[in-house]
Amino acid sequence: MRLLQVKQLTKVYGEHIATDHVSFELQAHTSTALIGPNGAGKTTTLSMLAGLVTPTSGTIQFGETSKHDIRSVIGFLPQYPKFFPWLSALEFTEMAARLSGVSAKKSFIEAQKTLEFVGLNDAIHKKTGTFSGGMKQRLGLAQAIVHQPKLLLLDEPVSALDPVGRRQVMDLLKELQQQTTILYSTHILNDAEEMTDQLLFLRQGKLVEYGSLDEVRLRYAEPKIVIEFE
Ligand code: ATP
């Protein structure tokens, strides 16, 4: 089932074209990697899908959802998430739940459950300002999923992490893949190999490759060299 359809999505900043007529679809319950070098337009694409940046032109069709409801069906982890250092992890996640439309009655329990899921059970009452980079990234993930979004957008979720932190977040994402649709950006092909049904390859704002990992690999495959002996 198709969850999202993006057509000719373009963002122009002054003279600079950040994304140039990008079109793709996401099927429900799949995981898609948005790959590309620095400046390719990954953050711009995710920010437009999250409703944080207004496209210059093009359309984003998200099922039957109106623009008004988008916050409740999308979860977004920015590349550099901001936390309020004086709030505890629980207070922060509860606030995120409320902002995403979870009722006051449910937000406390949902925040607790989500923090447990991301492995921050022992730190729920600690101030976020005391968190390590890895803990912050898991807290960022918690705020993005606390309202059980249909689409989870993650901007370079593991790029800044050490190997242990990276493993923890990748394992969480694999679990989340069962429940939601994931679109995440990375500039590392290895990340995509681990968890990807579909690959979108951006370069200088243009979508230059689009397909399954195997399809993309095939297109890039070297011609086989056959050595024949007489
Ligand atoms: P990175 O991997 O470095 O995060 P990216 O693929 O996410 O890169 P974007 O951040 O989307 O790329 O940027 C795409 C292009 O648009 C870049 O050339 C960037 O300088 C430009 N750009 C992004 N945001 C703005 C802005 N607010 N104003 C002007 N130019 C911008």
Side-chain angles (χ1 to χ4, degrees):
M1 195 185 74
R2 188 169 70 202
L3 184 83
L4 181 86
Q5 186 172 38
V6 173
K7 279 190 191 162
Q8 307 286 317
L9 200 59
T10 300
K11 180 68 191 177
V12 182
Y13 289 111
E15 303 268 284
H16 186 80
I17 304 175
T19 67
D20 192 356
H21 297 88
V22 170
S23 301
F24 62 89
E25 290 182 4
L26 298 183
Q27 301 298 319
H29 293 279
T30 57
S31 146
T32 299
L34 186 58
I35 297 204
N38 291 132
K42 304 181 296 294
T43 299
T44 305
T45 303
L46 292 172
S47 303
M48 286 191 282
L49 297 181
L52 301 173
V53 165
T54 308
T56 305
S57 60
T59 58
I60 300 167
Q61 183 68 43
F62 190 85
E64 298 298 307
T65 309
S66 71
K67 231 179 169 182
H68 193 68
D69 297 329
I70 215 82
R71 185 75 181 93
S72 63
V73 286
I74 285 182
F76 182 47
L77 173 62
Q79 189 173 1
Y80 306 107
K82 297 258 188 317
F83 305 96
F84 300 112
W86 59 90
L87 290 184
S88 72
L90 186 57
E91 287 165 336
F92 178 76
T93 312
E94 214 184 332
M95 182 185 73
R98 294 288 289 124
L99 288 172
S100 301
V102 179
S103 69
K105 210 169 143 194
K106 278 191 173 168
S107 59
F108 178 77
I109 191 78
E110 290 303 322
Q112 254 186 338
K113 268 190 344 203
T114 309
L115 288 168
E116 194 176 325
F117 172 75
V118 300
L120 290 175
N121 211 16
D122 295 338
I124 57 172
H125 297 300
K126 283 199 179 136
K127 300 261 184 279
T128 66
T130 67
F131 276 27
S132 69
M135 289 166 83
K136 277 187 181 157
Q137 200 65 345
R138 281 182 283 146
L139 180 61
L141 187 59
Q143 66 74 33
I145 61 172
V146 67
H147 56 300
Q148 297 170 7
K150 285 188 190 160
L151 174 63
L152 183 55
L153 304 169
L154 309 162
D155 198 357
E156 308 219 9
V158 293
S159 298
L161 298 178
D162 66 19
V164 175
R166 183 184 173 281
R167 181 73 275 135
Q168 286 171 335
V169 172
M170 285 310 278
D171 287 346
L172 287 171
L173 294 184
K174 280 188 194 162
E175 263 190 72
L176 283 168
Q177 210 177 353
Q178 321 292 326
Q179 302 151 33
T180 187
T181 304
I182 299 178
L183 175 63
Y184 69 100
S185 71
T186 177
H187 52 260
I188 304 165
L189 192 62
N190 279 354
D191 293 343
E193 281 178 340
E194 201 170 320
M195 195 196 76
T196 301
D197 298 304
Q198 179 179 242
L199 206 121
L200 305 172
F201 195 173
L202 278 180
R203 191 185 297 136
Q204 293 178 351
K206 287 197 165 68
L207 190 60
V208 290
E209 281 289 349
Y210 175 17
S212 74
L213 203 54
D214 284 346
E215 283 166 354
V216 172
R217 269 212 197 97
L218 266 181
R219 282 199 284 275
Y220 275 100
E222 294 285 327
K224 287 202 173 63
I225 300 170
V226 180
I227 303 172
E228 288 179 358
F229 295 95
E230 298 266 313

